Amino acid sequence: RKQAAEDGAAPIPEAAAGKEAVVAAVVSWVHAAIAADRKIGALKQLQGHVWRAGFRSGKMVAQLFRDAPDALVEWRNAGIKTYIYSSGSREAQHLFFGHSQAGDLRPYLCGYFDTSSGLKGEADSYRNIQLTLGVDDPSEVLFATDMLPEAQAAQAAGWQAVLVVRPGNKPLPEAHGFRVVESMQELLKQ
């Protein structure tokens, strides 16, 4: 109710209005928040409930691009530590990578970061992660993303940043200045 009110959505009625009215109002707010690509705690909490039930029951399986699992194996075999930084919660990341079409990929990952480290479009978030990783030289960290503002923030923090182009991505503006790859295996090639 509080989040819907803050968002300027139609008020979510009290329980006395009946289950159907409450559910309809919540569903309406959820659809609007998803359409607006909101990165808010209430929506992430709901996502966590849905994912937890779906993945644990086997009704949901995370779909990754085919090259991603192979790259995780290749990087681990090469001694390269791989972390995930997502707007999804760390729990959601565990569920996602633990229940993929390629099986449990969590053994190939060294850790997970979410917006508790800061927003992905802010350079300080990447500095916080760097401190947590114990990396002295930020240029030793490579960050791959499909979002230009995230690449800009990582670069502002001194990280190497690469844009990943995938089917369904928003088109990138011209002359953005970042290296672009189309597969995970390209990341380590210069």
Side-chain angles (χ1 to χ4, degrees):
R1 288 185 176 96
K2 179 180 174 188
Q3 186 65 59
E6 288 175 9
D7 290 351
I12 296 177
E14 296 298 324
K19 182 178 177 180
E20 285 185 25
V22 173
V23 169
V26 170
V27 167
S28 176
W29 171 79
V30 167
H31 285 175
I34 290 170
D37 197 25
R38 296 290 313 274
K39 310 293 186 196
I40 51 178
L43 198 55
K44 294 301 174 187
Q45 186 176 20
L46 175 62
Q47 176 192 43
H49 292 304
V50 171
W51 281 27
R52 193 176 311 107
F55 282 124
R56 289 184 179 155
S57 71
K59 292 180 180 177
M60 288 176 59
V61 176
Q63 298 298 311
L64 303 171
F65 287 100
R66 182 59 239 151
D67 63 315
D70 294 339
L72 290 173
V73 171
E74 180 182 330
W75 298 337
R76 185 185 71 177
N77 290 341
I80 297 169
K81 294 180 179 180
T82 305
Y83 298 84
I84 303 297
Y85 180 26
S86 172
S87 58
S89 71
R90 288 178 292 175
E91 179 190 12
Q93 294 173 52
H94 275 264
L95 290 166
F96 190 87
F97 286 98
H99 300 88
S100 82
Q101 86 276 18
D104 186 354
L105 297 173
R106 293 173 300 176
Y108 301 96
L109 298 167
C110 295
Y112 307 87
F113 296 94
D114 62 13
T115 53
S116 64
S117 297
L119 298 176
K120 292 180 75 181
E122 297 177 1
D124 280 344
S125 305
Y126 299 87
R127 292 183 190 103
N128 289 335
I129 292 171
Q130 178 191 335
L131 288 172
T132 300
L133 295 176
V135 175
D136 293 327
D137 181 357
S139 70
E140 293 178 6
V141 183
L142 173 64
F143 180 67
T145 181
D146 62 354
M147 301 295 292
L148 181 58
E150 294 173 7
Q152 292 167 329
Q155 185 180 58
W159 291 22
Q160 298 177 59
V162 175
L163 287 167
V164 182
V165 174
R166 297 290 201 172
N169 282 16
K170 293 179 185 176
L172 294 170
E174 297 293 322
H176 51 69
F178 289 92
R179 181 173 155 227
V180 175
V181 299
E182 294 182 5
S183 78
M184 295 293 103
Q185 279 82 4
E186 292 178 56
L187 283 175
L188 301 183
K189 297 179 175 107
Q190 293 296 334

